[in-house]
Amino acid sequence: LETLFLLYSGGTLSFETGPDNDHTTGNSAGKYIYIETSLPSSNGDRAQLRSRVIDPSCKPCSFNFWYNMFGAAINTLNIYLEPVNGNSSQTIWTLSGNQGKGWKEANVNLVSSVSYRIIIEAIAGNGFKGDIALDDLSLSNCPPAPTPSPPSPCDSDLGVGDCDFEQESCRCCCWQNTFTGDVNDWKRARGSTQSVNTGPGYDHTYGNSSGHYMYLEASTATRGFLSTAQLVSKKMKGVTSSNRCFLTMWYHMKGAGTGTLQI
């Protein structure tokens, strides 16, 4: 992606393009997001917003939003539905060109048999009069976001022990490679591993090449005595018989030379 959505209030930085105020309040106190197409932005630059994961629903589910596409150099606003299982995204709404002054409303039906995300994409036009703005995004009759789990006795002093390895720093989820007691390291990767006929093709969390996981690359690993790689949690809080702690994980062990996984 080549540009970003900006949070703003009042009129945009360019004249004869963009809204004068937000849609919610209609005055300079309110805020909206938009792409600024003045230099250094160039024709075709894209900005995207991604929603949370939305589960399929038997009830009609829809995405409602307000947009402003005013200006002589307006390009395109796209809405995509992206399945989390790795299937190709599909365009479910698109609009191009100058739509005149003022905010316009759009409502898009969301139909999918698998969990998905909504992706909003604004594309810059050929000139500074191409600002595209959005406000008041909402979902109607869609399954709610999962309720965060209450703190568990597995919580460490630095935070919850849950980890999907999407953060580059493993410190964020309280697991790290050891520096003593082993000679190899776990590696953070996405997509397929370096070797054929072994390892996953994608992560478990997202089920596509955008997600990350940890693995031991056997091709370059030191072999023989103590040829191990250890991933260690932070210190966990104490548990009692009435307040137990469990470790749940997903693993992938495919390949003729696969060794042993131990907890």
Side-chain angles (χ1 to χ4, degrees):
L1 301 179
E2 302 82 14
T3 189
L4 297 172
F5 280 101
L6 305 176
L7 181 65
Y8 213 70
S9 60
T12 66
L13 299 173
S14 306
F15 66 92
E16 296 183 351
T17 187
D20 295 326
N21 292 299
D22 81 321
H23 173 263
T24 312
T25 66
N27 58 50
S28 59
K31 297 183 181 296
Y32 58 90
I33 59 172
Y34 86 106
I35 60 167
E36 174 58 54
T37 59
S38 302
L39 292 175
S41 178
S42 60
N43 188 32
D45 284 357
R46 299 171 301 138
Q48 288 187 348
L49 287 176
R50 297 164 65 89
S51 75
R52 65 171 175 85
V53 173
I54 303 171
D55 292 327
S57 173
C58 296
K59 298 180 180 179
C61 172
S62 62
F63 172 50
N64 186 268
F65 62 98
W66 289 80
Y67 63 90
N68 184 292
M69 298 174 66
F70 166 58
I74 293 291
N75 197 331
T76 302
L77 180 63
N78 294 315
I79 309 295
Y80 302 109
L81 188 149
E82 179 189 64
V84 299
N85 63 4
N87 289 346
S88 298
S89 300
Q90 62 184 86
T91 304
I92 55 176
W93 189 92
T94 186
L95 187 65
S96 299
N98 187 358
Q99 303 300 311
K101 299 194 71 171
W103 290 95
K104 310 291 192 304
E105 185 179 17
N107 191 277
V108 186
N109 290 326
L110 305 173
V111 180
S112 178
S113 59
V114 300
S115 298
Y116 59 93
R117 286 184 176 84
I118 302 168
I119 299 177
I120 306 172
E121 178 183 71
I123 304 176
N126 187 21
F128 68 90
K129 297 181 181 181
D131 297 350
I132 297 177
L134 296 167
D135 201 5
D136 293 332
L137 283 60
S138 65
L139 294 170
S140 300
N141 299 318
C142 299
T147 302
S149 301
S152 78
C154 289
D155 293 358
S156 75
D157 294 336
L158 292 179
V160 179
D162 294 349
C163 192
D164 57 12
F165 302 109
E166 296 308 320
Q167 297 293 327
E168 186 170 359
S169 172
C170 290
R171 181 181 175 87
C172 294
C173 53
C174 307
W175 296 84
Q176 63 183 16
N177 277 296
T178 57
F179 298 103
T180 59
D182 66 357
V183 292
N184 298 312
D185 285 324
W186 290 83
K187 296 180 179 180
R188 180 171 174 266
R190 61 182 181 180
S192 300
T193 65
Q194 299 175 18
S195 309
V196 296
N197 297 323
T198 186
Y202 43 80
D203 82 322
H204 174 264
T205 310
Y206 296 130
N208 59 45
S209 59
S210 68
H212 292 81
Y213 58 89
M214 299 290 280
Y215 85 108
L216 171 64
E217 176 53 58
S219 300
T220 57
T222 303
R223 292 177 171 78
F225 183 62
L226 287 181
S227 60
T228 58
Q230 294 182 351
L231 197 65
V232 179
S233 74
K234 295 294 182 180
K235 183 171 69 173
M236 302 293 181
K237 296 180 180 179
V239 298
T240 65
S241 58
S242 61
N243 193 16
R244 296 182 179 180
C245 173
F246 299 91
L247 172 65
T248 301
M249 65 179 184
W250 290 83
Y251 64 90
H252 193 288
M253 297 175 66
K254 172 193 173 185
T258 298
T260 303
L261 180 64
Q262 298 183 119
I263 309 298

